[in-house]
Amino acid sequence: MDKLLITGGNRLNGEVTVSGAKNAALPILCAALLAETPLHLSSIAALKDIDTTIKLLDTMGVKISRNGDKVTLDASEVASFEATYEMVKTMRASILVLGPLLARFGTARVSLPGGCAIGSRPVDLHIKGLQAMGAAIHITHGYIQASTLHLPNRRLQGARYYMDLVTVTGTENLMMAAALAEGTTVLENAAKEPEVIDLAEMLIKMGANITGAGTDVITIVGVEKLNGTTHNVVCDRIEAGTYMVAAAMAGGEVKLLNVQAHLLDAVIEKLREAGATVTHDADTITVKSDGKLKAVNIRTAPHPAFPTDMQAQFMALNAMAEGVSKVTETIFENRFMHVQELQRMGADISIDGNTALVKGVSELDGATVMATDLRASASLVLAGLVARGDTVIERIYHLDRGYENLEAKLNALGANVKRVA
Ligand code: UD1
């Protein structure tokens, strides 16, 4: 199994181009199931999770061609309405086919995701939302079996639905389903993440009638059919944020290209508080740092607050910053898997419930550590970049799920990262 070998201590300088967002691309690829004519996408990053989604859609009969970052999907002849356990267990976001399948074909069979490294992550709100739209849903043998065949015109019926918790993929699933429902759906307490907005913008180009995406009330007036369109996926703000933290920690000057600074307000604010200089224009962000940082308190919450997907990276930053900080995780109950590994590199971190107390140390020490989930892995890479000596990161398939060309991008900035067998 591949490992990353990082020799720490190099400053980072130069430019890095940010890829299209994984978390926007996944729902957008699934939205192809709603369209009767081909959908043409660009800025689709070369990532494991993207490959998994494409494979899943392929098993359903969607015709797919991929050329670099461009993907065309033709769902005019879908033959299977199922996402098997084998698929869903490798990627929870496979649940995003549920809404589109049910809305367009009136039937869907999707495996329940089960547990994952960062918590139990149920999909009850996806299911309740579809039930509010009239779907008949049975859970049998670990599968969600959903049907609209008993409904007028066999179509989901518009409904008002309040989500108890802000859920990103839940909002996306229900928005896609409602796009083809009969009547008006109002989603309350909806997620406001930029990836939700990107999906809504594409659905509107496909012929959907959606207003309010980016606020906590989204209104969808269902239409009878949707067509393909062309769409360029929004930049990956989490990939961007990870390189920004890398530059701040390692020191140097890094300019990110193809990025929208306003999607990263909370992250930029925290980096400035830590002592880095962050400037930006229309589609670039520059981070300048001498590598001497001050510890910053972090509290994760739904967008536009500080993203949970950047928590682990800031834990690494705080581990080598001056002072004591508190990192509070409010979204996922078990998202401190990186702490034990950072401790093996000399970090001084103690956990009390959903809060980690981080006492900055003057130097981290290279060690062999294990990646446990996507963003935890990113925090280990960041720690490795500044640690004394060599760091070996095992199980890097997690990183390949969400970071395109990670080692090439870091090495182009001056890092010393090698993939070894
Ligand atoms: C998405 C992102 C993930 C990010 C997360 C939070 C994708 C593909 N993934 O995940 O990178 O970390 O948002 O920003 O976009 N919950 C329920 N019931 C549900 C749904 C969610 O209890 O039906 C809970 C979850 O367990 C969690 C919280 O709600 O505690 C938020 O989860 P959610 O926003 O749904 O995360 P994902 O959409 O899976």
Side-chain angles (χ1 to χ4, degrees):
M1 218 181 279
D2 283 356
K3 299 170 187 173
L4 277 191
L5 170 64
I6 305 177
T7 306
N10 293 5
R11 288 194 160 237
L12 300 182
N13 283 293
E15 295 182 346
V16 57
T17 301
V18 177
S19 300
K22 167 180 88 70
N23 285 355
L26 300 182
I28 279 172
L29 287 165
C30 294
L33 288 167
L34 294 165
E36 303 194 5
T37 56
L39 177 63
H40 304 279
L41 304 175
S42 54
S43 288
I44 300 290
L47 299 170
K48 259 288 192 23
D49 278 5
I50 302 277
D51 297 345
T52 306
T53 308
I54 286 179
K55 196 165 150 201
L56 172 62
L57 295 171
D58 178 66
T59 65
M60 293 174 179
V62 179
K63 290 186 202 70
I64 303 159
S65 63
R66 195 172 178 186
N67 182 8
D69 74 333
K70 298 192 175 42
V71 178
T72 297
L73 303 103
D74 177 355
S76 54
E77 289 172 38
V78 172
S80 154
F81 313 109
E82 181 173 78
T84 62
Y85 179 60
E86 289 308 309
M87 281 288 170
V88 182
K89 80 170 184 208
T90 54
M91 191 189 63
R92 295 187 78 264
S94 309
I95 189 74
L96 285 165
V97 297
L98 178 62
L101 283 176
L102 189 59
R104 177 150 169 237
F105 305 104
T107 181
R109 187 170 184 267
V110 177
S111 170
L112 282 170
C116 85
I118 62 174
S120 65
R121 297 180 84 173
V123 289
D124 56 318
L125 300 173
H126 302 233
I127 294 172
K128 284 183 196 150
L130 293 171
Q131 284 172 330
M133 288 186 234
I137 299 190
H138 303 283
I139 312 283
T140 43
H141 308 298
Y143 276 77
I144 304 163
Q145 182 81 50
S147 166
T148 64
L149 300 182
H150 60 292
L151 293 172
N153 302 317
R154 301 184 165 190
R155 284 174 74 192
L156 288 167
Q157 304 291 303
R160 180 173 284 270
Y161 180 62
Y162 176 87
M163 285 168 275
D164 290 350
L165 279 170
V166 177
T167 161
V168 177
T169 49
T171 301
E172 292 163 346
N173 227 342
L174 297 177
M175 189 165 70
M176 288 191 281
L180 281 182
E182 201 168 64
T184 301
T185 299
V186 180
L187 299 176
E188 293 177 325
N189 200 25
K192 296 182 281 201
E193 267 65 4
E195 295 75 21
V196 173
I197 301 176
D198 201 36
L199 172 65
E201 283 175 357
M202 187 189 72
L203 292 171
I204 292 167
K205 285 191 273 177
M206 289 166 68
N209 183 342
I210 300 173
T211 48
T215 74
D216 52 14
V217 181
I218 304 179
T219 304
I220 306 119
V221 182
V223 296
E224 269 182 40
K225 69 176 191 134
L226 293 169
N227 284 311
T229 185
T230 57
H231 188 73
N232 185 49
V233 171
V234 69
C235 65
D236 196 316
R237 64 194 166 100
I238 305 301
E239 186 201 21
T242 303
Y243 289 116
M244 289 162 69
V245 177
M249 288 172 67
E253 183 170 341
V254 171
K255 184 174 188 179
L256 285 84
L257 311 178
N258 181 40
V259 66
Q260 297 173 33
H262 69 96
L263 306 181
L264 282 141
D265 284 344
V267 169
I268 291 173
E269 201 175 299
K270 284 293 164 186
L271 280 175
R272 285 181 177 150
E273 195 184 321
T277 304
V278 185
T279 51
H280 59 82
D281 59 26
D283 57 1
T284 71
I285 300 178
T286 302
V287 179
K288 208 171 156 183
S289 162
D290 60 7
K292 293 187 182 63
L293 301 173
K294 293 188 286 287
V296 288
N297 291 331
I298 298 289
R299 183 182 179 83
T300 67
H303 194 75
F306 191 91
T308 174
D309 285 349
M310 285 299 301
Q311 179 256 104
Q313 296 88 320
F314 270 77
M315 189 88 84
L317 181 153
N318 279 331
M320 50 75 74
E322 191 190 322
V324 177
S325 59
K326 270 187 186 173
V327 177
T328 306
E329 173 58 56
T330 75
I331 308 282
F332 293 114
E333 79 254 30
N334 190 22
R335 205 172 200 181
F336 284 144
M337 307 283 281
H338 41 290
V339 167
Q340 281 181 12
E341 302 301 308
L342 290 172
Q343 283 167 340
R344 303 194 62 251
M345 298 177 73
D348 182 347
I349 306 173
S350 53
I351 297 176
D352 180 11
N354 69 344
T355 298
L357 187 71
V358 190
K359 293 183 183 152
V361 295
S362 57
E363 201 168 43
L364 292 170
D365 217 6
T368 296
V369 290
M370 195 174 76
T372 49
D373 68 62
L374 174 55
R375 307 306 169 184
S377 315
S379 79
L380 301 178
V381 172
L382 298 178
L385 290 175
V386 298
R388 191 161 39 115
D390 287 351
T391 295
V392 176
I393 305 180
E394 297 186 341
R395 299 199 186 171
I396 54 163
Y397 54 84
H398 291 292
L399 281 167
D400 296 333
R401 288 187 40 217
Y403 288 92
E404 186 176 48
N405 295 334
L406 177 81
E407 59 267 38
K409 288 188 183 185
L410 283 173
N411 288 338
L413 295 175
N416 186 346
V417 184
K418 288 190 199 78
R419 190 174 284 248
V420 293

